[in-house]
Amino acid sequence: MRRRLTPYLMILPAGLWLVVFFAVPLIMMASLSLQQGNLVDGFQQTFHWQNYTEGLSTYGDKVVRSLWYGLLGTVACIVIAYPVAYWIAFHAGDRKSTYLFLLLLPFFVSFILRTVSWKFVLADNGIVLGTLKGWGLLPEGFHVLQTSFAVIAGLAYNFLPFMVLPIYVALERIDYRVIEAAKDLYAGRVQAFVRVVLPLSLPGVFAGVIMTFVPISADYVNAAILGGPQNTMIGNVIQTEYFNNSNYPTASALSFTLMAILLVGIFLYARVLGTKDVLEAAGR
């Protein structure tokens, strides 16, 4: 009897944690998304599905912008993270742990503080632009803040480790003798990378894309600090509707809409690139 109950008892703490802090709030938010009312008179369950349609029709452009920023931020993370992970995996030697620690060290600082620091770095008369303007390399009217570039740069920076670490783990697992065998078969460096290293590292890229695209698309801090009114993301709208307008049903409906779009996107991504196809490519 004890042996049968042991597996269930072992997962009981984690199960209770998920139920209390994930399932219950999710159900409450789903119920709230279909309610009507206000903070003074209270909210009542009326199964008002128009909260979804009205929210999407009103803020559809913000949803599209969030997904677009999420895509560009994820691509930027791949472009930056892959060479870094490759160098650490194959050329860092015994100092791999040191370089990984240095890579993660800035992220021990608060997410907000790191984003605000970007605001000082990218300021019109900051350490970078101010210096370049002083040297005459940039015109005085040039600015980066309150642009899409500033928001995407902040997003890519803040979520970069979520891309580096999965790719590094995938590259670290590659047996270097396989690469040497490819070179023995007269494959050049580029061909060995394309035919051997890249396919074997695809599981890491696959995991990294999921781990970065979802939080980037739902982020609101970078758009609020580094962007302007024209860079508002759906996360900023949800925050405003919930905390400023106390419009809980609309905020909940928008949250579920974003979650549904991201889940569909992840499912299509998995179907098109496929975890099965990725693992098969890695196994060749």
Side-chain angles (χ1 to χ4, degrees):
M1 187 64 179
R2 288 184 177 180
R3 291 182 179 178
R4 292 181 180 180
L5 293 177
T6 298
Y8 300 100
L9 293 175
M10 292 180 65
I11 66 172
L12 183 60
L16 291 175
W17 180 275
L18 289 175
V19 169
V20 173
F21 294 103
F22 180 75
V24 173
L26 200 64
I27 293 172
M28 293 177 62
M29 191 171 69
S31 174
L32 186 58
S33 68
L34 298 174
Q35 296 181 16
Q36 285 181 293
N38 55 66
L39 194 61
V40 177
D41 300 326
F43 298 93
Q44 295 181 352
Q45 181 58 261
T46 59
F47 295 98
H48 191 67
W49 294 96
Q50 285 79 2
N51 288 335
Y52 287 88
T53 57
E54 291 174 0
L56 192 57
S57 61
T58 304
Y59 302 110
D61 58 329
K62 309 298 190 300
V63 175
V64 174
R65 183 181 296 125
S66 298
L67 297 176
W68 178 240
Y69 283 1
L71 177 62
L72 294 179
T74 302
V75 172
C77 284
I78 294 176
V79 173
I80 299 172
Y82 200 100
V84 173
Y86 183 91
W87 187 87
I88 294 176
F90 293 117
H91 300 287
D94 297 333
R95 297 182 178 179
K96 294 179 181 179
S97 299
T98 302
Y99 290 120
L100 287 174
F101 175 76
L102 293 176
L103 179 68
L104 296 174
L105 185 60
F107 297 90
F108 285 90
V109 180
S110 168
F111 184 91
I112 303 294
L113 292 179
R114 284 187 280 114
T115 307
V116 171
S117 68
W118 266 90
K119 186 175 183 178
F120 286 106
V121 171
L122 300 177
D124 292 348
N125 295 315
I127 187 173
V128 177
L129 298 186
T131 303
L132 294 177
K133 289 178 181 179
W135 292 346
L137 299 177
L138 290 176
E140 287 296 327
F142 183 83
H143 72 281
V144 176
L145 288 178
Q146 298 188 353
T147 64
S148 297
F149 175 81
V151 177
I152 295 171
L155 290 169
Y157 166 75
N158 278 307
F159 294 97
L160 185 62
F162 294 99
M163 184 67 72
V164 173
L165 294 179
I167 295 177
Y168 167 77
V169 171
L171 291 171
E172 179 69 13
R173 294 175 57 187
I174 298 177
D175 191 342
Y176 195 76
R177 291 175 297 181
V178 178
I179 303 176
E180 292 180 341
K183 294 179 180 179
D184 291 339
L185 295 174
Y186 306 103
R189 290 185 177 181
V190 175
Q191 193 174 14
F193 173 79
V194 173
R195 299 290 296 275
V196 178
V197 177
L198 183 59
L200 291 175
S201 64
L202 283 181
V205 177
F206 182 89
V209 168
I210 294 177
M211 293 176 64
T212 54
F213 178 74
V214 173
I216 285 178
S217 300
D219 183 74
Y220 64 91
V221 175
N222 287 271
I225 296 177
L226 303 177
Q230 73 280 6
N231 306 118
T232 302
M233 298 174 66
I234 192 62
N236 303 104
V237 175
I238 295 173
Q239 181 200 29
T240 301
E241 290 290 344
Y242 192 91
F243 290 103
N244 298 346
N245 301 337
S246 299
N247 191 356
Y248 302 148
T250 299
S252 300
L254 288 173
S255 300
F256 267 95
T257 301
L258 178 63
M259 184 175 63
I261 293 174
L262 291 176
L263 287 175
V264 171
I266 292 173
F267 175 77
L268 293 177
Y269 172 74
R271 292 284 293 179
V272 173
L273 298 181
T275 53
K276 181 178 179 181
D277 295 336
V278 169
L279 294 176
E280 287 179 355
R284 291 174 182 171

